[in-house]
Amino acid sequence: MKKIDVNNSWEMHRVGDDDWITATVPGSVYGDLLQAGKMEDPFWKDNEIEALKLMDYDYEYRTSFSCDDELLGSDEVILRFEGLDTIADITLNGVKLGHADNMHRTWEYSVKDILKQSDNILSVYFYSPTKFIADAFAKAPTRGTEDAMNGFVHIRKAHCMFGWDWGAHLPDAGIWRPVSLLGIDTARIDSVEILQHHGQDSVELDIKPEIEFVRKYIGSGSETGQLSVKVRVVDPVGNEIINRILNEDITKNIYTFTSESNMAAIDSMESKNEIEITCEGSYSKTIHIDNPQLWWPRGYGEQNLYTVSVDLVKDDGTVVDNWTRKIGLRTITMDRTKDKWGERFATCVNGVNIFAMGADYIPEDHLLGRVTPETTRALLEKAVFANFNSIRVWGGGYYPDDWFYDMCDEMGLVVWQDFMFACAVYDLTPEFEANITAEFIDNLKRIRHHASLGLMCGNNEMEQFVKERKWVSKDSEVRDYIIMYERILPKIMKQYAPQVFYWPASPSSGGSFDDPRDENRGDVHYWAVWHGDKPFSEYRKFYFRYLSEFGFQSFPSKKTVETFTDDERDMNIFSYIMERHQRNGSANGKIMNYMQQTYRYPSDFETVIYASQLLQADAIRYGVEHFRRNRNDDRCMGAVYWQFNDCWPVASWSSVDYCQRLKALHYYARRFFAPIMISCEEEGLLGSGQELVRLPFEFPKSIRLCVANETMNTEKILVSWQLRDASASVLESHEEEITAPALTSVWLDKVELPGIDIYHQYVSYQASMKGQVISEGTVIFSYPKYFCYEEPHLQATVDGDYITVSADAYAKSVEILNQNEDLILSDNYFDLNADSKTVKVISGSVDKLRLRSVYDIS
């Protein structure tokens, strides 16, 4: 098959304007207008308001191209759009090819009879998304989250483009994925399904190519000659282990799948330009691999990847088409075994239940043309940095590009992939059902081979909301919910991805509105900490089987704030501009409420930012440490926090901000997701419910240490702890060696500390292996605002790529910043016990370093 990119020489204009401007494909309307100086930066101050108005217009893209004789001589030529956003008419040389209405689909059109050798004019006319949803909502007021614009449920477009409680109202448009011409000789490989069957020291692969014939050959196999399928398999180190023809002549096998009714359907098509998958055939052959090198999530083994290449070959040896992908040999599902608490919900890879550690991924940018393999790699490398082994793709955005899954395969990140439905109800008309069905098939065929694909989930939060009748305006919407997620999707999953685990919703206990928030089954979104204003210690009351959402907001760094404001008067969290970049209406008040409970009143804007990030980091740490302490017997088996990243500069729940600066939470995650982690379940003022001014002012004071070992090896760990005063002088110390079996948590005995001075004394603790501290922490028993920190006199020295920070007293959450606030270090926001710590500089300049600790919140 000959493939020619059609991504160059595009131009666009706003319909009604004579002025055409240069356009980038793949890209977007906003991106092109920005490049041409036709709009202001939509992220700057409140420019979003004017940017939104630009989407009340229609926009047209066009290009001119030539075709060579080889392409024109093909049996069939298909024009392929991998992504059109969203409502569009496509015209070639004055002939309307079709109408697109789903950004999540691939659109293909037969163009052989329309193409010329030169001066082919291709036009894509995009209709206003804002007018479309307004008109649709007026006709049928189907509803969803109030954070998004009315009518967003009526368009198959990333929901968050219309606003979310962390996203702007920027419903961009355009040709957002590549365009190409495909010259097909006889047939092409539409897709290849690979099913794995694991035995002892061997794997059998069922190879199922799905072949599409050019229309003129359907039903007339004698015209094609003999076609064969040839498979080549290369192992992870580059050795070819299989290279053979699976079937000497597949032609007659394939034609058995082409019925007379399919032929009649093709003949009766209104438009011969619409490509229909009615003329495909498939068959299956099995190949055997001995001594397979398995793929594992990171932290549990190697990320071994095999290359599978499938050729469609003519009898003269000509390769008609090729399909090449990397796969991992592994089994992966969710363990739902019933147990004494209810039912497990654990990611099971190669028969091993792993504790899922990671965060929820949202679109990387409101302007999709800015998302590239380079930006995605930089982001996912930060997931690896923070010891993630899992990542959840949230259902209100879009299905990521191929490179996202390739990188997750390579990095060992298990992907929880939502289908693109979130916080809304839908009216399941026949047209909508046909549209989403095609969407499901397109994306399952595209991503099902990936080693990292752990599960597909029907939607985000809709089971719980429909059960509560939130946004439900008629009973049929409840019926349609069940049909969509518990009939249509399972059926399609069984047909197109039978070995991928399907889960109907997140959160869910398995469907049918059966208590979707059940603590003891399935996955849970827990928001009592944050939305419910509960203290961080509230996490310890619950033992969720898999927590797929929980979070706490913070502000991005000051340098990131400077990307959307240049006025010092705006450097106040309650300023107009800061609140334009805060999409959760009560969030700033919540942050200040928790800050009032925890820290002394910050004296300046930068200290507010620092304190907010510490609040966020400690909130999530409280949860993750508790859940990891309770992983034995597979009780708690997942802690995936909300959220990983941002799509514009904003106050949010992210641990990596829009400029890819790391918040304190991301460094905390590196520690609390470490393969071997020590943590402390303390009793103190925070969890006591005791008010300072009530009498008697008494509550338990104790520590209980725990070592979580999320590795495949049993380890000997030296555990030590010290009682210290505010100067960090040791008043009492203890140590003991423990054995930590693989994939367990080991509790040490509880230690009562009834006489501790909660305002002047604290406990430090460490886990060591072979003389090296591998995990450590400190704990106080009052609120930080009451603890009498001494001035730590922080100092830093630089030696090449290393920074050594020292303190002469207890220093909590030591922050190291450079002038641009973009340092990435091997550790940051750590505690010092009147000692020093040396960290490696991973990236960023070490000029003009600044240091601070909790002592400086005043």
Side-chain angles (χ1 to χ4, degrees):
M1 181 173 68
K2 183 178 178 65
K3 180 178 179 180
I4 298 175
D5 291 336
V6 190
N7 296 323
N8 298 319
S9 303
W10 285 87
E11 58 183 1
M12 62 86 75
H13 76 140
R14 189 169 84 184
V15 174
D17 287 355
D18 295 331
D19 185 16
W20 289 78
I21 62 175
T22 299
T24 300
V25 172
S28 74
V29 168
Y30 282 150
D32 294 332
L33 293 176
L34 272 172
Q35 184 66 31
K38 298 288 187 180
M39 69 177 290
E40 300 295 329
D41 179 359
F43 297 168
W44 177 254
K45 295 201 172 184
D46 62 354
N47 283 351
E48 169 203 3
I49 297 170
E50 295 302 314
L52 175 60
K53 295 176 183 177
L54 294 173
M55 298 319 298
D56 288 339
Y57 297 93
D58 300 341
Y59 292 87
E60 183 180 9
Y61 281 72
R62 72 183 181 191
T63 188
S64 175
F65 61 90
S66 299
C67 297
D68 59 30
D69 291 338
E70 182 182 356
L71 181 73
L72 292 173
S74 301
D75 291 337
E76 176 65 283
V77 182
I78 292 173
L79 176 63
R80 177 182 175 90
F81 292 92
E82 295 183 28
L84 293 172
D85 180 15
T86 293
I87 310 298
D89 287 335
I90 301 91
T91 302
L92 177 63
N93 294 333
V95 178
K96 182 177 177 180
L97 301 180
H99 179 75
D101 59 358
N102 188 329
M103 76 172 289
H104 306 304
R105 287 177 57 182
T106 297
W107 298 92
E108 295 188 341
Y109 305 95
S110 174
V111 295
K112 178 176 172 58
D113 297 335
I114 304 172
L115 285 174
K116 303 181 296 183
Q117 200 159 37
S118 62
D119 299 323
N120 292 283
I121 304 299
L122 175 61
S123 168
V124 184
Y125 187 110
F126 289 99
Y127 294 90
S128 162
T130 52
K131 287 185 176 179
F132 179 89
I133 64 169
D135 291 345
F137 186 76
K139 296 172 184 175
T142 312
R143 298 184 179 276
T145 176
E146 292 78 11
D147 294 309
M149 299 167 66
N150 284 339
F152 76 93
V153 302
H154 290 285
I155 187 170
R156 291 309 294 154
K157 177 177 175 67
H159 287 349
C160 61
M161 288 183 171
F162 295 99
W164 219 259
D165 58 0
W166 39 260
H169 300 99
L170 293 171
D172 204 354
I175 305 171
W176 72 289
R177 280 182 170 155
V179 186
S180 57
L181 285 166
L182 309 178
I184 302 172
D185 181 12
T186 306
R188 66 167 169 167
I189 302 173
D190 173 63
S191 181
V192 178
E193 182 179 21
I194 301 177
L195 302 180
Q196 302 186 22
H197 307 285
H198 288 244
Q200 186 171 3
D201 299 322
S202 68
V203 175
E204 288 189 341
L205 299 180
D206 286 345
I207 309 293
K208 297 185 173 184
E210 299 174 7
I211 312 300
E212 284 188 6
F213 275 71
V214 174
R215 188 177 293 116
K216 72 177 183 179
Y217 291 128
I218 297 173
S220 54
S222 60
E223 294 184 34
T224 69
Q226 178 175 303
L227 286 177
S228 302
V229 168
K230 184 177 182 180
V231 172
R232 180 172 179 261
V233 179
V234 177
D235 73 13
V237 295
N239 298 317
E240 185 176 86
I241 59 174
I242 294 170
N243 188 347
R244 67 172 182 265
I245 292 177
L246 292 187
N247 194 309
E248 292 299 329
D249 185 3
I250 66 168
T251 311
K252 61 180 180 296
N253 301 64
I254 290 177
Y255 288 142
T256 63
F257 288 85
T258 306
S259 66
E260 292 184 5
S261 61
N262 283 344
M263 286 297 299
I266 293 169
D267 291 337
S268 65
M269 284 166 53
E270 291 184 8
S271 170
K272 297 293 183 181
N273 298 320
E274 296 284 356
I275 300 301
E276 296 286 343
I277 307 178
T278 53
C279 51
E280 71 175 21
S282 64
Y283 78 104
S284 174
K285 285 291 182 179
T286 300
I287 60 175
H288 187 87
I289 299 176
D290 288 319
N291 302 311
Q293 301 175 59
L294 298 182
W295 181 92
W296 290 91
R298 66 180 311 277
Y300 301 87
E302 298 298 318
Q303 288 74 59
N304 295 306
L305 295 171
Y306 288 72
T307 302
V308 177
S309 183
V310 179
D311 289 338
L312 188 60
V313 185
K314 281 188 172 182
D315 51 6
D316 63 0
T318 302
V319 176
V320 171
D321 199 4
N322 168 268
W323 181 96
T324 299
R325 303 289 190 275
K326 289 185 181 293
I327 69 167
L329 303 182
R330 87 292 182 265
T331 62
I332 187 166
T333 188
M334 298 302 290
D335 180 357
R336 296 183 63 197
T337 305
K338 295 189 183 303
D339 59 19
K340 60 185 176 182
W341 297 291
E343 185 178 275
R344 289 177 182 165
F345 198 70
T347 305
C348 183
V349 184
N350 302 325
V352 176
N353 285 357
I354 72 167
F355 189 101
M357 301 184 289
D360 295 282
Y361 168 90
I362 65 170
E364 295 173 38
D365 205 303
H366 268 301
L367 278 64
L368 296 186
R370 293 175 173 172
V371 181
T372 66
E374 292 73 27
T375 62
T376 300
R377 179 169 291 278
L379 184 61
L380 291 180
E381 284 175 348
K382 292 174 174 63
V384 172
F385 171 87
N387 289 310
F388 288 16
N389 62 33
S390 301
I391 193 163
R392 173 177 171 240
V393 180
W394 171 76
Y398 62 90
Y399 306 92
D401 294 276
D402 293 339
W403 65 70
F404 172 89
Y405 302 99
D406 289 337
M407 292 172 190
C408 289
D409 293 346
E410 168 197 334
M411 297 177 185
L413 300 171
V414 175
V415 177
W416 171 313
Q417 175 67 59
D418 283 359
F419 285 97
M420 290 301 117
F421 302 96
C423 301
V425 294
Y426 303 88
D427 190 6
L428 189 62
T429 64
E431 295 78 14
F432 186 72
E433 180 176 352
N435 196 353
I436 61 174
T437 296
E439 169 190 324
F440 302 153
I441 294 169
D442 279 355
N443 286 285
L444 287 173
K445 285 183 175 182
R446 180 170 68 91
I447 70 176
R448 63 188 173 186
H449 68 278
H450 283 282
S452 57
L453 184 59
L455 67 80
M456 298 293 299
C457 176
N459 66 80
N460 174 75
E461 296 188 339
M462 286 317 305
E463 185 180 356
Q464 70 178 48
F465 287 140
V466 172
K467 178 182 175 70
E468 297 163 2
R469 295 301 194 269
K470 187 174 179 65
W471 304 312
V472 172
S473 58
K474 52 186 178 181
D475 291 340
S476 63
E477 291 168 346
V478 180
R479 174 205 64 199
D480 290 349
Y481 174 90
I482 292 292
I483 294 173
M484 285 174 63
Y485 305 112
E486 300 190 20
R487 190 181 76 183
I488 294 174
L489 267 171
K491 181 179 179 180
I492 291 174
M493 288 291 300
K494 184 176 181 179
Q495 181 176 357
Y496 291 95
Q499 291 188 330
V500 179
F501 182 87
Y502 175 71
W503 192 238
S506 180
S508 180
S509 297
S512 301
F513 305 122
D514 179 16
D515 195 2
R517 302 185 196 219
D518 191 341
E519 174 187 355
N520 295 307
R521 295 177 295 154
D523 75 306
V524 171
H525 296 185
Y526 180 74
W527 286 101
V529 176
W530 180 256
H531 286 305
D533 299 316
K534 295 292 186 181
F536 304 160
S537 56
E538 194 76 4
Y539 287 118
R540 295 179 179 175
K541 297 179 180 179
F542 301 95
Y543 300 87
F544 304 116
R545 311 316 299 262
Y546 190 117
L547 196 54
S548 51
E549 265 195 37
F550 64 114
F552 195 98
Q553 266 207 16
S554 70
F555 300 107
S557 73
K558 185 171 183 286
K559 285 297 181 182
T560 296
V561 171
E562 288 175 1
T563 66
F564 59 83
T565 182
D566 61 355
D567 190 333
E568 283 297 322
R569 291 175 299 178
D570 292 331
M571 299 292 182
N572 183 302
I573 65 168
F574 298 117
S575 72
Y576 168 69
I577 295 301
M578 285 297 292
E579 293 200 337
R580 287 292 312 181
H581 289 253
Q582 164 60 274
R583 293 311 167 101
N584 184 265
S586 62
N588 286 359
K590 285 185 181 294
I591 292 172
M592 295 310 293
N593 177 47
Y594 277 99
M595 195 174 296
Q596 174 269 327
Q597 297 173 39
T598 310
Y599 293 117
R600 299 181 70 184
Y601 190 79
S603 57
D604 59 72
F605 182 65
E606 290 187 66
T607 307
V608 170
I609 291 172
Y610 171 62
S612 79
Q613 291 194 13
L614 295 188
L615 285 171
Q616 178 190 37
D618 269 324
I620 305 305
R621 176 186 65 82
Y622 256 82
V624 174
E625 289 182 349
H626 168 70
F627 300 124
R628 289 193 65 182
R629 287 194 289 261
N630 289 279
R631 83 91 77 204
N632 287 346
D633 298 320
D634 295 339
R635 187 172 192 183
C636 297
M637 290 302 291
V640 176
Y641 65 78
W642 185 270
Q643 65 203 66
F644 180 27
N645 60 300
D646 285 325
C647 58
W648 73 310
V650 65
S652 81
W653 296 267
S654 70
S655 62
V656 178
D657 75 21
Y658 173 72
C659 297
Q660 294 214 12
R661 292 185 170 96
L662 306 189
K663 297 181 181 179
L665 170 57
H666 210 68
Y667 285 102
Y668 274 49
R670 181 171 167 85
R671 296 195 288 267
F672 60 58
F673 284 153
I676 299 176
M677 177 203 66
I678 189 170
S679 65
C680 178
E681 184 177 81
E682 88 289 350
E683 291 181 299
L685 184 56
L686 178 61
S688 69
Q690 179 70 54
E691 293 185 39
L692 184 66
V693 295
R694 302 297 181 194
L695 294 176
F697 187 61
E698 296 176 356
F699 51 88
K701 294 170 281 291
S702 69
I703 61 169
R704 193 181 182 198
L705 299 176
C706 181
V707 174
N709 178 11
E710 196 59 29
T711 76
M712 301 284 271
N713 303 310
T714 295
E715 301 289 359
K716 295 286 188 182
I717 310 289
L718 180 65
V719 175
S720 53
W721 65 269
Q722 305 81 35
L723 176 64
R724 299 175 184 264
D725 63 20
S727 72
S729 297
V730 176
L731 308 177
E732 184 180 342
S733 64
H734 299 268
E735 67 178 33
E736 64 177 285
E737 188 175 63
I738 66 167
T739 298
L743 308 175
T744 61
S745 55
V746 178
W747 287 91
L748 281 74
D749 291 338
K750 183 177 181 179
V751 179
E752 303 283 355
L753 298 168
I756 191 171
D757 180 346
I758 66 171
Y759 306 116
H760 298 88
Q761 295 174 351
Y762 72 101
V763 168
S764 59
Y765 50 89
Q766 306 83 30
S768 302
M769 290 176 60
K770 300 177 181 178
Q772 297 293 319
V773 174
I774 59 170
S775 181
E776 61 185 327
T778 69
V779 63
I780 63 174
F781 301 86
S782 69
Y783 296 122
K785 63 183 179 181
Y786 297 149
F787 192 83
C788 297
Y789 293 98
E790 296 183 5
E791 165 67 72
H793 300 109
L794 296 171
Q795 293 186 320
T797 58
V798 178
D799 183 6
D801 290 336
Y802 292 89
I803 301 171
T804 298
V805 180
S806 61
D808 58 16
Y810 177 37
K812 181 71 175 171
S813 302
V814 175
E815 178 190 62
I816 308 170
L817 293 179
N818 64 356
Q819 187 173 24
N820 199 40
E821 300 183 356
D822 61 353
L823 266 180
I824 297 180
L825 305 171
S826 60
D827 200 5
N828 205 348
Y829 300 94
F830 49 79
D831 302 341
L832 290 176
N833 300 298
D835 54 4
S836 63
K837 186 179 186 72
T838 299
V839 297
K840 182 177 176 56
V841 179
I842 297 172
S843 66
S845 169
V846 295
D847 293 338
K848 298 183 179 179
L849 295 180
R850 291 175 284 149
L851 307 174
R852 62 181 161 192
S853 69
V854 172
Y855 173 84
D856 297 297
I857 302 177
S858 61

